[in-house]
Amino acid sequence: MKRNSRLSLALHTLSHMAGEPGRVRTSADIADHAGTNPVVVRRVLGKLREAGLLTSEKGHAGGWQLAKAADSITLADVYLALDERLVAGSGGDAESSHCSVETGLQSRVAEVLDDIEESLVERLRETKITDVHPSSCSYCGS
Amino acid sequence: MKRNSRLSLALHTLSHMAGEPGRVRTSADIADHAGTNPVVVRRVLGKLREAGLLTSEKGHAGGWQLAKAADSITLADVYLALDERLVAGSGGDAESSHCSVETGLQSRVAEVLDDIEESLVERLRETKITDVHPSSCSYCGS
DNA sequence: GCCTATGTAACAATGAATGTTGCATTCGTC
DNA sequence: GACGAATGCAACATTCATTGTTACATAGGC
């Protein structure tokens, strides 16, 4: 995989799980599907577990599973669980600039970008995982 | 500067220019303010010039200037000029996965992210450069 | 001509994300 | 209780986009 694939990986995985909610999947299975590494999968899905979206079981028949109904999970849940800040993260150091405009107003740019970020989350809240799952999915028969 | 600072740099610069539309600024000046390098500034502002947001003059009294009224420039103009794809860029390779869900449906995840990206641009279109410029700006007196 | 500016290419450095290995732990099964 | 299969986690290696830097060509005003 390439870059910033966490969100994509999470969405793919959750989408698959939405198709077969009962099935327990191992990190290795998921990594195969996603063309990546089991450890990477655990890293990403671990965040989703912390956020209460997934559960994981250790041991022999262990693996990953949805913690709640797929239609109760929105993209915002996933996005926030991963600590993504696609827009607002765009600021540089800023440090303590000697520019009077910057220091005096504390760089309103950051403020504006925060607003945009918030709007993005609001928009993400409108889409559920079930909306991502293909409507005509030959794989899960739905 | 740190990471993905292009958008931030562009916004800061345009915001400053909005305060003193007449003034011509050199890459060096701008780089100083932003704590970066003249060449980097030229790279970023060059994109904005291609998009018709700025003009640049070579030679003795050369430099950068707004190409149009600040209140006619939206954040979407800037975002698109820089070819940012904060959301939709999140896909991995995908290559030709052997997963039937992926191949069969061409990964609807990408579709969804494209939609979100579009929403983001729509949201950016609502904010003008003049909205970024501090309302009580001691520097430019406005 | 000279100085100052942009324009651009080529290369170096940085740093975040990803990939990898190794090992501890936990749980079911024999 | 030993074994195998899974997660959990830490430490390290690798990859790669972005940023930073240097160098030089070009253009324009003095």
Side-chain angles (χ1 to χ4, degrees):
Chain A
M1 276 208 155
K2 220 179 278 184
R3 191 131 193 299
N4 197 12
S5 53
R6 290 199 305 264
L7 185 60
S8 180
L9 170 59
L11 259 36
H12 273 274
T13 305
L14 288 173
S15 168
H16 278 151
M17 287 178 166
E20 277 184 291
R23 179 169 164 193
V24 174
R25 294 155 200 265
T26 68
S27 309
D29 283 345
I30 298 168
D32 268 357
H33 270 290
T36 183
N37 188 291
V39 179
V40 175
V41 170
R42 273 175 231 146
R43 274 209 281 255
V44 173
L45 299 197
K47 293 268 193 182
L48 301 186
R49 183 192 50 218
E50 288 173 23
L53 306 182
L54 290 178
T55 60
S56 65
E57 292 292 335
K58 290 183 174 182
H60 187 75
W64 300 84
Q65 211 171 350
L66 287 178
K68 46 201 269 195
D71 64 1
S72 72
I73 300 176
T74 70
L75 299 200
D77 296 325
V78 180
Y79 182 83
L80 294 174
L82 297 178
D83 291 314
E84 299 269 8
R85 300 210 71 194
L86 257 29
V87 178
S90 298
D93 288 327
E95 41 189 55
S96 50
S97 171
H98 59 288
C99 169
S100 63
V101 181
E102 317 284 319
T103 54
L105 273 299
Q106 277 289 24
S107 188
R108 188 160 142 65
V109 173
E111 248 178 73
V112 171
L113 291 179
D114 274 346
D115 279 355
I116 307 285
E117 178 84 29
E118 205 170 327
S119 299
L120 174 60
V121 173
E122 285 311 308
R123 170 64 181 82
L124 289 172
R125 210 177 296 284
E126 291 171 13
T127 306
K128 293 178 290 194
I129 288 298
T130 43
D131 298 327
V132 176
H133 188 71
S135 51
S136 62
C137 178
S138 59
Y139 184 59
C140 63
S142 79
Chain B
M1 277 209 155
K2 220 178 277 182
R3 188 129 194 299
N4 195 14
S5 53
R6 290 198 305 265
L7 184 61
S8 180
L9 170 58
L11 259 36
H12 273 273
T13 305
L14 289 174
S15 169
H16 278 150
M17 288 178 166
E20 278 183 291
R23 179 168 163 193
V24 174
R25 295 155 199 266
T26 68
S27 308
D29 284 345
I30 298 168
D32 268 357
H33 270 291
T36 182
N37 190 291
V39 178
V40 174
V41 170
R42 274 175 233 149
R43 273 208 283 254
V44 172
L45 299 197
K47 292 268 193 182
L48 302 185
R49 184 192 49 219
E50 287 172 23
L53 306 182
L54 290 178
T55 59
S56 65
E57 291 293 335
K58 290 183 173 180
H60 186 74
W64 300 85
Q65 211 171 352
L66 287 179
K68 46 200 269 195
D71 63 2
S72 72
I73 301 176
T74 71
L75 299 200
D77 295 325
V78 180
Y79 182 84
L80 294 174
L82 296 178
D83 291 315
E84 300 269 8
R85 300 209 72 195
L86 258 30
V87 178
S90 299
D93 289 328
E95 39 190 57
S96 50
S97 172
H98 59 287
C99 169
S100 62
V101 181
E102 318 284 319
T103 53
L105 273 297
Q106 276 289 24
S107 189
R108 189 161 141 66
V109 173
E111 249 178 72
V112 171
L113 291 179
D114 275 346
D115 280 355
I116 307 284
E117 178 84 29
E118 205 171 328
S119 298
L120 174 60
V121 173
E122 285 310 308
R123 170 64 182 81
L124 290 172
R125 211 178 295 282
E126 293 170 12
T127 307
K128 293 178 290 195
I129 288 297
T130 43
D131 298 328
V132 177
H133 189 70
S135 51
S136 62
C137 177
S138 59
Y139 184 60
C140 65
S142 79

